[in-house]
Amino acid sequence: NMAAEGLRFLQFYSASPVCSPSRAALLTGRYQVRSGIWPGVFGASSTGGLPHNETTIAEALKEVGYATGMVGKWHLGVGANFTYLPTTQGFDYYLGIPYSHDMCPCYVCFYPNDTCFDHCRTGEVPCPIFQNQEIIQQPADFTTLTARYTDGATAFIQKSAGSGSPFFLYMAYQHTHHPQFASQMFRNKTLRGTMGDSLAELDWSVGQIMSTLKKAGVDNNTLVFFTADNGPSLTRHVRGGNQGLLKCGKGTTYEGGQREPALAWMPGKIPAGKTTLELAGTVDLLPTVLNLAGAKVPSDRPIDGVDMAPILFGNSTSNREMYFYYPKNPEPQTGLFAIRNSRYKAHFRTEGSHCGPPYRDEDCWAKTSMKAHDPPLLFDLLIDPSEQYQLGNETVIKELTQAANDFESKVVWHASEIHGSDAHAQPCCKPGCSPFPSCCQCNKVPYIQDQPFSPNIVD
């Protein structure tokens, strides 16, 4: 319905092929190396997080009177004493698991007590659900998690709309990161198996949020943007996603790793049923949202994002001329892996990730190590989005190489926030308990375990 009633992007990108850095770029409008969210992602034991001197969308909107809420997967650090949670980064309200749910032991993923069909870490604390700065359930109950997230999101919308306050909701689902999970309502309900059940549950939740906006009477004055943080993990085979005609998937700088589905919806403002080939990405959300809300875009630091208003509202060309691809584990000595303009893409380096046999393309396999390309690999993405047919256009290669060099010469890398780790920095609802970490168990919402959770259904 969102696609039929809104705008669908065909060339939209995340800033990274893995979780933490892509989320940092989304919230700050800056490529992740500027904020130190490299290399890789935060874990349960990480001591670092998104630096507090970065300005998030939420912080900028609060300056102009917005209520700000975040529901779901944060993955930008927890830290000692919960130093880096969303409530320290501009959000009035937070409900969620603060990192990927495979970074904890997992036993039951499908109602009523079916296995998770996948591997999770076993040496960390059970997955915690936070409400603001407090852990309200540990381990998280995956069979009711999406309903809980949906209730939190719709309640935030209803409260904000009811008070007449403008609001910003950042809804970051755990779906469809592995392990897949689903509630009683969606278990064994699709032909696609566990992945299909998870997707159906996500789709239901999005529908509940959209219905809540309409019932609250704010749908005609609300921009809804739906996208993803990286491509599908191909290691999961049929229990994972599918990148279609795009090459490779999560963890790579091929198109399957960073080109994402994206929908923009704002009735009466954004034309319905349209598609666009204009170039855009998650890094563009900050300037777009702040300009739309009348908030100030930070001027004391480089902002990599550009305003998408000409695409959204003007049926015009993008303000973005180039998009830059950093790998999952960037390092200053290697820098960018690829660059594209409105048509062509040049790969300076490639590597595989999150994949292996029986997947047929060995370029995508995790064991395929980084390889430098001189001259760069060049592809015409408008006619070859699968990156199969290499071109030898020296003029285009020279132009893209120069653009990449110019960009990199101006980027200042922030010291890495990822490297620090301490097992006792893991979030535990019983600090100091023993035996750690399995002792970290509590449930301040007992009705979820005593009876099936009844989500706040919106017709």
Side-chain angles (χ1 to χ4, degrees):
N1 289 341
M2 277 189 70
E5 297 173 3
L7 176 67
R8 183 164 62 99
F9 287 79
L10 300 181
Q11 298 195 100
F12 191 88
Y13 291 84
S14 65
S16 172
V18 290
C19 310
S20 296
S22 66
R23 291 159 193 262
L26 184 156
L27 285 174
T28 66
R30 288 154 53 84
Y31 284 107
Q32 55 273 21
V33 299
R34 296 190 192 272
S35 57
I37 314 303
W38 64 274
V41 302
F42 292 110
S45 299
S46 294
T47 56
L50 182 68
H52 290 119
N53 62 0
E54 290 291 332
T55 299
T56 66
I57 296 174
E59 288 169 320
L61 290 176
K62 277 179 69 68
E63 292 294 317
V64 290
Y66 273 67
T68 55
M70 196 250 158
V71 174
K73 176 182 167 183
W74 172 239
H75 218 170
L76 288 173
V78 178
N81 300 315
F82 309 152
T83 306
Y84 295 105
L85 286 177
T87 47
T88 72
Q89 306 277 9
F91 289 96
D92 300 320
Y93 173 73
Y94 174 54
L95 174 69
I97 298 173
Y99 37 75
S100 296
H101 59 285
D102 69 325
M103 293 180 167
C104 345
C106 59
Y107 305 106
V108 174
C109 282
F110 293 90
Y111 180 88
N113 55 8
D114 280 2
T115 179
C116 292
F117 300 103
D118 216 331
H119 298 293
C120 296
R121 299 182 188 178
T122 56
E124 277 82 1
V125 296
C127 279
I129 298 179
F130 277 85
Q131 184 166 288
N132 299 323
Q133 294 280 113
E134 180 184 13
I135 297 174
I136 61 171
Q137 189 180 65
Q138 194 173 20
D141 181 354
F142 294 157
T143 67
T144 60
L145 184 62
T146 303
R148 180 171 299 286
Y149 280 2
T150 306
D151 253 23
T154 54
F156 174 79
I157 292 170
Q158 290 164 348
K159 179 180 178 180
S160 300
S163 69
S165 171
F167 63 89
F168 168 62
L169 172 64
Y170 173 38
M171 183 77 182
Y173 291 95
Q174 306 291 142
H175 285 313
T176 54
H177 196 288
H178 74 90
Q180 305 303 331
F181 60 91
S183 62
Q184 179 180 10
M185 226 179 349
F186 297 99
R187 181 66 176 121
N188 293 322
K189 294 299 193 295
T190 71
L191 293 176
R192 184 67 164 79
T194 56
M195 179 69 179
D197 294 349
S198 299
L199 273 173
E201 185 169 77
L202 181 152
D203 185 68
W204 164 81
S205 178
V206 172
Q208 296 297 294
I209 291 171
M210 302 300 285
S211 294
T212 300
L213 292 172
K214 293 175 182 177
K215 286 206 164 188
V218 295
D219 52 312
N220 288 322
N221 195 34
T222 301
L223 170 64
V224 180
F225 205 98
F226 179 89
T227 188
D229 63 342
N230 51 246
S233 177
L234 303 180
T235 56
R236 309 300 154 184
H237 305 166
V238 295
R239 295 194 191 280
N242 189 304
Q243 83 285 28
L245 55 73
L246 303 179
K247 184 177 177 73
C248 298
K250 179 177 180 176
T252 76
T253 50
Y254 293 108
E255 292 297 280
Q258 290 186 237
R259 193 190 292 205
E260 308 300 333
L263 302 170
W265 181 91
M266 194 174 190
K269 308 287 195 310
I270 294 176
K274 299 290 186 180
T275 60
T276 179
L277 282 167
E278 294 299 317
L279 187 60
T282 53
V283 76
D284 299 326
L285 286 168
L286 179 138
T288 303
V289 170
L290 298 194
N291 285 336
L292 186 62
K296 182 181 178 182
V297 176
S299 58
D300 61 344
R301 67 202 65 193
I303 297 296
D304 297 306
V306 300
D307 193 343
M308 292 186 287
I311 308 173
L312 298 176
F313 310 117
N315 195 28
S316 186
T317 56
S318 174
N319 288 325
R320 174 165 295 285
E321 296 179 356
M322 300 283 176
Y323 208 81
F324 304 96
Y325 300 70
Y326 282 104
K328 65 177 181 179
N329 294 316
E331 295 288 347
Q333 61 268 30
T334 52
L336 291 173
F337 265 35
I339 181 177
R340 72 156 295 178
N341 60 20
S342 61
R343 181 159 197 154
Y344 297 100
K345 178 180 180 182
H347 288 273
F348 307 113
R349 295 173 181 82
T350 55
E351 65 180 350
S353 183
H354 290 74
C355 185
Y359 197 79
R360 294 184 178 184
D361 189 343
E362 292 189 24
D363 288 345
C364 311
W365 290 6
K367 72 175 186 179
T368 301
S369 58
M370 183 180 71
K371 181 179 181 181
H373 302 283
D374 187 13
L377 307 180
L378 183 69
F379 299 98
D380 183 341
L381 294 181
L382 291 187
I383 61 175
D384 180 26
S386 303
E387 299 172 281
Q388 295 296 310
Y389 305 106
Q390 187 178 345
L391 305 175
N393 190 320
E394 294 182 4
T395 300
V396 174
I397 289 175
K398 183 178 179 180
E399 290 174 353
L400 291 177
T401 301
Q402 185 62 52
N405 290 338
D406 290 346
F407 176 76
E408 288 199 277
S409 69
K410 300 172 185 175
V411 173
V412 177
W413 289 56
H414 188 288
S416 173
E417 292 283 338
I418 299 286
H419 288 303
S421 179
D422 179 356
H424 290 281
Q426 297 181 62
C428 179
C429 62
K430 296 178 180 177
C433 69
S434 180
F436 183 84
S438 60
C439 63
C440 299
Q441 297 194 33
C442 60
N443 188 7
K444 299 181 182 180
V445 282
Y447 64 91
I448 281 199
Q449 291 186 355
D450 292 343
Q451 62 189 54
F453 183 56
S454 178
N456 178 24
I457 302 294
V458 179
D459 295 329

